[in-house]
């Protein structure tokens, strides 16, 4: 008669090992991936002229006075920043600035108007809980370049007869023997007219004195 073999009970050591493996697998599955981005390090900061509106996407790398404009960060995130001269050449800036700012509910923040001596500078913008070097921008401060002079408006010239303002406007008034006609007669023409009149009078008198029929 065949007798079925009874299954063997797992030993105590085997059961403990299996339980430990199950717990370890649960822990490994529950650990988030290490490649996830650090919270808050997802926005950007720009250099702006004072007359540029906050939120403008342009970066203005050459300024005189300026401000820092941060967008798309976490709400109410706190930042610190430093600005120092960049490079070792003659164009490197010699000034230094540092400060802090806090984002609003939309993740935006900006500083007041800042000033530095002329030169090349680097901005480092960093959140309180960031890892790494933070956001960086290189820009130039230049307050010595002259502004372009406005082009002067040309003065209009008169096209009326007789020249500019105050000159005669139009021809002399119409009419016989007017003052304008007499005034327009030059001294030579006047002398010739007087001479002709005198000669005519002398001829008339001579003809009157001659007897009729002569």
């Amino acid at each position: 008669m065949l007798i079925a073999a009874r299954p063997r009970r797992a030993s105590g050591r085997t059961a403990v090992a299996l339980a430990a493996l199950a717990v370890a697998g649960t822990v490994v599955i529950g650990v988030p991936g290490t490649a996830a981005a650090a919270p808050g390090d997802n926005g950007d900061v720009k250099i702006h002229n004072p007359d540029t509106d906050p939120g403008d996407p342009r970066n203005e790398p050459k300024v005189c006075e300026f401000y820092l404009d941060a967008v798309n960060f976490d709400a109410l995130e706190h930042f610190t920043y430093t600005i120092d001269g960049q490079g070792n050449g003659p164009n490197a800036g010699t000034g230094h600035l540092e400060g802090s700012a806090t984002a609003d509910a939309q993740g935006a923040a900006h500083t007041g108007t800042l000033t530095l001596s002329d030169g090349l500078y680097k901005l480092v913008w960093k959140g309180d809980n960031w890892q790494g070097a933070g956001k960086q921008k290189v820009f130039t401060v230049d307050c010595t370049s002259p502004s372009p002079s406005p082009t002067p408006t040309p003065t209009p010239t008169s096209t009326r007869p007789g020249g500019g303002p105050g000159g005669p406007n139009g021809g002399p008034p119409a009419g016989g023997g007017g003052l304008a006609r007499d005034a327009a007669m030059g001294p030579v023409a006047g002398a010739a007219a007087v001479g002709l009149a005198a000669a005519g009078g002398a001829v008339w008198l001579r003809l009157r004195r001659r007897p009729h029929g002569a």
Side-chain angles (χ1 to χ4, degrees):
M1 180 177 177
L2 296 176
I3 299 175
R6 298 177 63 183
R8 298 176 60 185
R9 293 184 178 180
S11 65
R13 292 181 179 179
T14 303
V16 170
L18 290 174
L21 286 174
V23 172
T26 302
V27 172
V28 170
I29 293 172
V31 173
T34 57
D41 192 8
N42 53 350
D44 200 5
V45 60
K46 307 287 186 180
I47 310 294
H48 280 335
N49 283 300
D51 55 353
T52 301
D53 293 332
D56 192 302
R58 295 174 298 169
N59 186 65
E60 297 168 289
K62 186 175 181 179
V63 292
C64 179
E65 294 182 339
F66 64 98
Y67 73 98
L68 309 179
D69 183 29
V71 293
N72 299 325
F73 289 99
D74 289 346
L76 307 180
E77 188 173 7
H78 187 259
F79 311 97
T80 57
Y81 66 86
T82 58
I83 302 176
D84 290 289
Q86 172 71 4
N88 298 318
N91 295 327
T94 57
H96 168 80
L97 287 176
E98 61 182 47
S100 62
T102 302
D104 59 17
Q106 286 72 44
H110 58 84
T111 68
T113 300
L114 305 174
T115 57
L116 284 166
S117 57
D118 287 1
L120 186 66
Y121 289 90
K122 181 173 74 173
L123 162 70
V124 177
W125 178 277
K126 192 173 181 180
D128 287 350
N129 298 319
W130 290 8
Q131 301 296 324
K135 305 286 183 180
Q136 300 182 19
K137 286 285 188 300
V138 175
F139 64 101
T140 298
V141 174
D142 183 3
C143 296
T144 60
S145 298
S147 301
S149 301
T151 303
T153 304
T155 303
T157 56
S158 174
T159 58
R160 296 182 301 168
N169 188 2
L179 177 62
R181 180 177 298 175
D182 294 340
M185 183 179 295
V188 175
V194 172
L196 288 174
V203 171
W204 182 78
L205 288 174
R206 183 175 297 176
L207 291 175
R208 292 261 316 192
R209 290 177 181 174
R210 294 179 63 183
H212 294 286

